[in-house]
Amino acid sequence: MHWCHDSVMQAAYKTISRSKIDSFHLLIAGRLLIRTPQDDFDECVFEIVRHMNKGINLIKTPEQKCDGAQLNLRAGQKAMSSRSFHSAAKYFVCGIKILSDESWGDNYDLTLDLHRMAGKALLVIGDERINTVVANILANAKCFEDEVLAHLFQMRYLTSLGQSNEVIRLGTDLLQKLDESLPTEVSKNVIMQEFIRTKAKLKTFTEENSLLGLPHMTDKKKLTAMLILSYTLEAAIHCQPFLIPLLSFRLLKLTLDHGVSYLSASCFATYGCWLVNNLISDFEEGFRMGQVATKLMNRGGEEYMNARVFVSVYGLINVWRQPFQACLDMLLEGYEGGMRQGDIENAFNCLAMYGQMIICCGSSLREMVECFRLYCKNAIMFKKHVYAHSLVGQLQLALSLIGSSEDAYQTFFKTTKEDSEHGYIQTSIESDGGGYINHFRLIPFRNKLFFVLMDGPDKEIRKWYELGQKVDETSTQIIFPRRIYGFFIDGMIGFSFARKYKDERGIWEEVGSSMISKFEKWSESSEWNFANKLYLLLAERYFLHDDQEKAFEYYDKAIKAACDHRFLHEEGLANVAAAKCCIHYDKKEEALIHYANAKECYQRWGATALVNMIDIRSSKL
């Protein structure tokens, strides 16, 4: 019967006595099940299961319970394929509820399948019911392989909660049972020995094609070990960064010895990150490993798509060879692909990396504000609160630069920026490494950048510089985009303070000069990304040494390189720095020209706060 109006249907529905409603729904589900052709079943499964689940308490016989559980499993799988993770979780949990406690003995495979799929869906939405799923599997697992399934769910969920040390402990125990034990003590010597062995093994694969031609991994035990190593590595990034190289070497060794799996692309990418880090700085080989990772991922199709590959390759490797701007769209692609696959943790990792990179690129601030409002909402919806705080921090920086008085922390978390940041900084300094400390390191960077761009006050710049040094003391050797940009800002602070504070000149000049050394090396790898920054730091040093001619020569070089390489905000910064130098040498007309050029840059960037600052500075001339 076709109802023309919902109100008529609701009125008819209310005529059914409450005692019969459940049986009425179950009857409808049964008739739909019988009458639906097999070819149309997928289109009708949601409607069938909707009615059936309303009569769930009336399902009594073992055969009916099995059928009902299978229908919920099918509906949940269909919902998962369309990224309806909340709906999928509801179906899987309901399927588990239909089955009796004896189902682990009577129908083990179906019961395990429902728990496996429920675990995947609950992980995506950050639902604590994952703990019940884990407990059920561990209590009833028939083999070690099924126990590991539960532990993998447990590891991923604990990582999402920031309990990274517990993840590493659990991963270490499981690896020992798989004969893949980690050293009890991980020193620099141990890491370098493993690195030398890994490098030697890679040398036997002389051509890139030989790496791409590796056979598929068929040993299930080794694939399980790769999964555990992979999840342990994700946790180590946040709390025990010294483990990252060791874990990446072990992952790569398993691939080289036993063949490629859907995890192998991320192995090559993580190894590439190690190669380009501050200790090794082998940009050429790191870039090659990134290319191998990308080709492996693309060759495998959607199944091999791995959001962590995007984070590593486009956030940490390619920045040393390719323009920063070229990496932005790829990080967003990694985010979208991770969301499609339900790899929510690494999807938001891509987004957090995108947030760091977009500041380095000087992209439109107003567009950034609009996009990041949506990203913050998504992070909160998926209960990725640490990522949400990181994204809100990036949004707050953009809001401050456009001259908005809005407090993004108040908007999303009902607390103030000052209270939130104070709490995170204390956590970062005092924590034993159990949480997402890397994200908290962004706080001093953002504030330091803002006050440098706003030209003071020195007290605030010094405060955030010193806090940044404290929270970076235990930082991983891997250089994130915010650290690259942070080094640049530190160099600017160093030379500025060396001019202003004569009694500290030696200390601050050393800060600036050490940053010049970094950017000289990095410019050899990517002139596009680093040359303008190097030129500006050199100009500042010449200014400090009272070499007027060289200072203006390098200010001009910095301005031109920033313009040519589309770093709009850095073109503005270089003009402001040049204007200060002009004022020092009593070249007021030239200073006004540089201020005017800086103002135009900041207007195009959307930084109204900086435009207003320049108007004030110019008016004093």
Side-chain angles (χ1 to χ4, degrees):
M1 184 178 294
H2 175 71
W3 297 99
C4 297
H5 301 289
D6 287 346
S7 57
V8 176
M9 183 175 66
Q10 288 297 324
Y13 186 77
K14 288 179 180 179
T15 63
I16 305 169
S17 65
R18 296 188 65 83
S19 61
K20 294 182 179 179
I21 284 178
D22 289 350
S23 59
F24 185 72
H25 280 293
L26 200 58
L27 177 63
I28 293 173
R31 290 185 176 178
L32 286 172
L33 185 61
I34 293 170
R35 295 177 182 178
T36 301
Q38 192 60 36
D39 291 344
D40 298 333
F41 191 81
D42 275 349
E43 297 300 319
C44 301
V45 66
F46 291 141
E47 186 67 7
I48 294 170
V49 172
R50 182 176 73 84
H51 284 291
M52 181 189 69
N53 287 346
K54 288 187 176 181
I56 191 173
N57 294 326
L58 300 177
I59 300 175
K60 299 297 184 184
T61 69
E63 293 79 10
Q64 288 176 332
K65 289 183 177 184
C66 181
D67 289 343
Q70 286 177 329
L71 283 170
N72 271 284
L73 177 62
R74 191 162 175 179
Q77 289 170 328
K78 183 173 172 61
M80 285 284 279
S81 67
S82 62
R83 296 173 58 191
S84 299
F85 300 116
H86 285 83
S87 295
K90 180 183 68 175
Y91 291 126
F92 296 136
V93 170
C94 197
I96 292 171
K97 184 179 177 181
I98 289 173
L99 293 172
S100 63
D101 293 338
E102 291 75 29
S103 66
W104 284 103
D106 300 337
N107 208 331
Y108 182 84
D109 289 343
L110 173 61
T111 308
L112 183 64
D113 282 346
L114 276 165
H115 279 77
R116 178 188 293 112
M117 296 306 297
K120 290 181 178 180
L122 292 168
L123 271 175
V124 171
I125 63 176
D127 195 310
E128 64 182 9
R129 287 178 293 176
I130 185 72
N131 293 320
T132 302
V133 169
V134 167
N136 287 346
I137 297 175
L138 289 176
N140 297 281
K142 287 184 175 180
C143 60
F144 178 67
E145 183 180 348
D146 293 344
E147 286 182 26
V148 169
L149 169 69
H151 287 307
L152 290 173
F153 285 146
Q154 190 177 17
M155 291 175 74
R156 292 184 69 189
Y157 185 60
L158 289 171
T159 298
S160 74
L161 297 177
Q163 297 179 27
S164 304
N165 281 324
E166 178 61 21
V167 175
I168 293 171
R169 185 201 61 76
L170 183 58
T172 302
D173 289 346
L174 291 171
L175 288 168
Q176 189 171 9
K177 293 177 181 177
L178 290 166
D179 301 320
E180 295 288 345
S181 299
L182 298 176
T184 52
E185 292 186 12
V186 181
S187 63
K188 273 189 178 181
N189 188 44
V190 168
I191 290 172
M192 291 310 297
Q193 287 176 358
E194 291 260 358
F195 173 57
I196 291 167
R197 285 194 288 268
T198 304
K199 191 174 181 179
K201 185 174 283 290
L202 268 171
K203 276 188 177 179
T204 63
F205 298 86
T206 54
E207 299 293 332
E208 183 180 297
N209 287 338
S210 63
L211 290 172
L212 296 175
L214 285 165
H216 286 281
M217 185 178 289
T218 55
D219 189 327
K220 289 185 177 180
K221 185 177 179 181
K222 298 303 179 185
L223 181 57
T224 300
M226 286 195 72
L227 275 167
I228 295 167
L229 283 165
S230 181
Y231 293 157
T232 305
L233 190 150
E234 285 184 11
I237 289 171
H238 303 301
C239 68
Q240 296 185 33
F242 57 86
L243 282 176
I244 296 173
L246 178 66
L247 295 168
S248 68
F249 301 153
R250 292 293 181 89
L251 281 162
L252 191 56
K253 183 178 183 297
L254 283 170
T255 290
L256 297 177
D257 289 345
H258 301 282
V260 296
S261 71
Y262 65 93
L263 294 168
S264 295
S266 65
C267 300
F268 284 101
T270 308
Y271 180 66
C273 291
W274 164 252
L275 291 174
V276 300
N277 74 20
N278 208 23
L279 189 63
I280 305 299
S281 297
D282 188 345
F283 299 121
E284 184 176 348
E285 184 65 6
F287 187 69
R288 186 173 83 89
M289 290 295 102
Q291 288 181 310
V292 170
T294 305
K295 289 176 181 178
L296 270 177
M297 185 178 68
N298 291 338
R299 189 183 71 176
E302 183 71 12
E303 180 188 354
Y304 276 56
M305 192 277 162
N306 189 315
R308 197 202 298 160
V309 173
F310 281 79
V311 173
S312 300
V313 173
Y314 298 107
L316 300 171
I317 296 176
N318 284 13
V319 294
W320 303 104
R321 291 287 294 274
Q322 296 180 344
F324 283 154
Q325 296 90 337
C327 299
L328 286 176
D329 287 345
M330 300 309 296
L331 288 169
L332 283 182
E333 185 177 325
Y335 164 67
E336 291 163 1
M339 296 298 286
R340 278 198 306 275
Q341 286 198 322
D343 185 4
I344 306 301
E345 189 74 18
N346 280 310
F348 280 102
N349 209 357
C350 278
L351 205 52
M353 191 68 73
Y354 174 82
Q356 294 185 42
M357 191 74 73
I358 200 169
I359 292 296
C360 298
C361 292
S363 302
S364 168
L365 289 171
R366 296 195 179 277
E367 290 180 10
M368 180 180 167
V369 165
E370 294 309 309
C371 291
F372 272 70
R373 287 191 194 281
L374 177 61
Y375 298 150
C376 293
K377 290 177 182 176
N378 287 347
I380 291 169
M381 180 176 71
F382 281 96
K383 299 181 181 178
K384 298 300 177 186
H385 295 299
V386 176
Y387 288 105
H389 279 277
S390 177
L391 294 167
V392 167
Q394 299 297 85
L395 172 61
Q396 183 62 61
L397 175 59
L399 286 167
S400 299
L401 289 169
I402 67 173
S404 171
S405 60
E406 178 185 347
D407 187 330
Y409 291 89
Q410 187 70 45
T411 301
F412 287 96
F413 302 124
K414 307 304 180 189
T415 186
T416 65
K417 174 180 180 292
E418 288 73 19
D419 288 345
S420 295
E421 290 184 343
H422 177 74
Y424 292 149
I425 288 293
Q426 289 303 117
T427 300
S428 181
I429 295 171
E430 297 170 5
S431 172
D432 65 352
Y436 286 76
I437 304 306
N438 278 335
H439 293 299
F440 301 158
R441 291 189 177 106
L442 284 164
I443 295 170
F445 161 71
R446 285 193 297 258
N447 285 284
K448 182 170 59 178
L449 172 61
F450 176 74
F451 285 112
V452 167
L453 289 172
M454 289 294 293
D455 198 20
D458 287 353
K459 181 180 177 181
E460 288 293 324
I461 294 174
R462 187 186 290 264
K463 178 182 81 172
W464 290 112
Y465 172 84
E466 291 174 352
L467 278 171
Q469 296 301 301
K470 282 185 179 180
V471 298
D472 266 344
E473 283 175 359
T474 58
S475 178
T476 170
Q477 287 289 328
I478 293 175
I479 302 176
F480 292 86
R482 62 97 187 163
R483 291 191 75 195
I484 295 173
Y485 212 75
F487 289 141
F488 170 52
I489 295 301
D490 286 349
M492 295 296 291
I493 292 170
F495 289 123
S496 174
F497 280 17
R499 289 195 303 271
K500 293 178 181 179
Y501 303 104
K502 304 302 182 184
D503 57 331
E504 299 177 279
R505 173 170 171 151
I507 296 171
W508 287 112
E509 184 175 0
E510 176 56 31
V511 170
S513 294
S514 66
M515 298 309 152
I516 285 177
S517 297
K518 292 181 187 295
F519 282 93
E520 282 175 335
K521 180 172 66 175
W522 297 344
S523 292
E524 293 174 4
S525 178
S526 175
E527 184 180 352
W528 180 285
N529 289 335
F530 305 116
N532 71 293
K533 299 171 182 64
L534 173 62
Y535 295 151
L536 185 51
L537 291 173
L538 287 169
E540 289 286 281
R541 185 161 70 180
Y542 284 125
F543 181 16
L544 174 65
H545 292 168
D546 201 25
D547 190 336
Q548 183 179 164
E549 183 179 350
K550 280 289 188 180
F552 286 123
E553 176 189 344
Y554 276 88
Y555 282 128
D556 288 343
K557 281 187 174 184
I559 291 165
K560 184 178 186 305
C563 178
D564 290 345
H565 300 162
R566 304 202 304 273
F567 294 115
L568 185 64
H569 56 326
E570 291 169 13
E571 183 184 351
L573 178 62
N575 270 291
V576 170
K580 290 180 182 179
C581 187
C582 288
I583 293 169
H584 177 80
Y585 290 111
D586 201 27
K587 297 176 180 288
K588 292 185 179 180
E589 289 186 7
E590 290 90 336
L592 286 170
I593 291 171
H594 280 298
Y595 273 141
N597 291 338
K599 180 177 178 178
E600 182 184 354
C601 291
Y602 289 149
Q603 283 174 330
R604 288 163 55 199
W605 190 26
T608 304
L610 302 185
V611 171
N612 295 338
M613 178 269 293
I614 288 173
D615 283 339
I616 294 170
R617 296 287 188 274
S618 300
S619 67
K620 293 179 180 179
L621 296 178

